[in-house]
Amino acid sequence: MTTSGRAIDCKAFVARLRDEVATSVAALKTRHAVTPGLAVVLVGDDAASSVYVRNKGELAEAVGMHSVTHRLPADTSQEDLAALVRQLNADRSIHGILVQLPLPRGLNADAIIAEIDPNKDVDGLHVVNAGRLSAGLPGLVSCTPAGCMKLLRDEVGDLSGKHAVMVGRSNLMGKPMAQLLLAADCTVTIAHSRTRDLPAVCREADILVVAVGRPEMVKRDWIKPGAVVIDVGINRVPSRDPVKAAQGKTRLVGDVDFADALEAGATVTPVPGGVGLLTVIFLMQNTVKAACMIHGLDESSL
Ligand code: NDP
């Protein structure tokens, strides 16, 4: 087996971003007397969501932000949740609001997202921010695609004229990522579950971004030699060890077969330890951006 590809060191990249965010927060505090504030709202007791929310709160504090977490019971009403969002919209100490998704059954996530002040919508999900992105106007961009884009620029440099294939078209990931690639002058193909001959479409990609939610779907012969592959998928599958698998032990894999991607000569993000790390740090970056927008400050001068 030959492995001519390379795994992207996302940990080192994220460590650099974390330092950058901490520097921006310190500059906002000392030069402008603004402490960026992030509010995370968790409804219900989903174990995975609870871990994500705790990580977000801890990182926000670690980079020097003001951080609040609202934990609400699973039977919270739509109106009570909307009222909390409105209260956070009006709270001058809060610059970023994130309502952890998915919400428990019975709550309408779209209606809640629509309540968030677009200037505090650090998940970039409000239609105003989706519209700003597609119109090329400044706004808040969903954390995972924003992180993937920064990573791509770091890895590839000028993206102009590259053929980028985005597999997946969700509002959270596929659509904003495709818009960002387009804004970077890539030629963009968006593929999805109805795409014909997906392997052939993927083989055309200089840059292949995959956000599908299907374990190790992208195989060696889907990847053009030398392509840069961003694997957004996070899937839990049974452990390789049959004894552990029988005990219910699992492992995380992406949407791309990582060993195959290396064999194909790709530069590829690993799972775990890849794009997932970027998402949380970009939430902090977006909170800094929101604080700058709200206070009329130039983020690049921090
Ligand atoms: P969604 O389920 O919202 O979207 C999945 C997309 O994949 C859809 O557009 C769907 O097409 C497409 N798709 C499904 N099956 C196929 C197939 N066989 N061939 C081609 N396309 C297919 O998922 P998300 O975008 O929210 O997330 C995708 C993955 O990324 C998940 O594993 C999720 O856990 C992970 N994720 C990771 C993040 C991170 O921080 N690393 C953040 C966000 C997501 P169609 O529209 O036609 O149904």
Side-chain angles (χ1 to χ4, degrees), residues 144 167-170 172-174 191-194 198 211-214 217 232-235 255 275-276 279:
T144 309
V167 189
R169 56 174 166 180
S170 66
L172 182 68
M173 183 60 213
H192 45 79
S193 66
R194 308 294 171 90
L198 185 58
V212 163
R214 303 207 175 255
M217 181 181 83
V232 182
I234 302 178
N235 310 286
D255 290 342
V275 170
T279 302

Side-chain angles (χ1 to χ4, degrees), residues 11-33:
K11 284 188 186 149
F13 181 70
V14 166
R16 257 191 289 144
L17 286 182
R18 185 186 156 128
D19 287 348
E20 277 175 33
V21 173
T23 304
S24 298
V25 172
L28 272 172
K29 283 176 167 175
T30 53
R31 284 195 242 144
H32 304 285

Side-chain angles (χ1 to χ4, degrees), residues 5 28 47 54 102 123 125 141 161 185 201 209 218 221-222 227 253 270 294:
L28 272 172
R54 196 178 60 230
D123 232 359
L125 288 174
V141 179
D185 296 327
V201 172
V209 185
V218 174
D221 64 345
W222 297 37
V253 295
I294 289 166

Side-chain angles (χ1 to χ4, degrees), residues 111-131:
I112 293 300
I113 290 164
E115 289 284 354
I116 299 173
D117 176 347
N119 293 324
K120 295 189 177 187
D121 168 38
V122 279
D123 232 359
L125 288 174
H126 196 289
V127 288
V128 166
N129 281 316

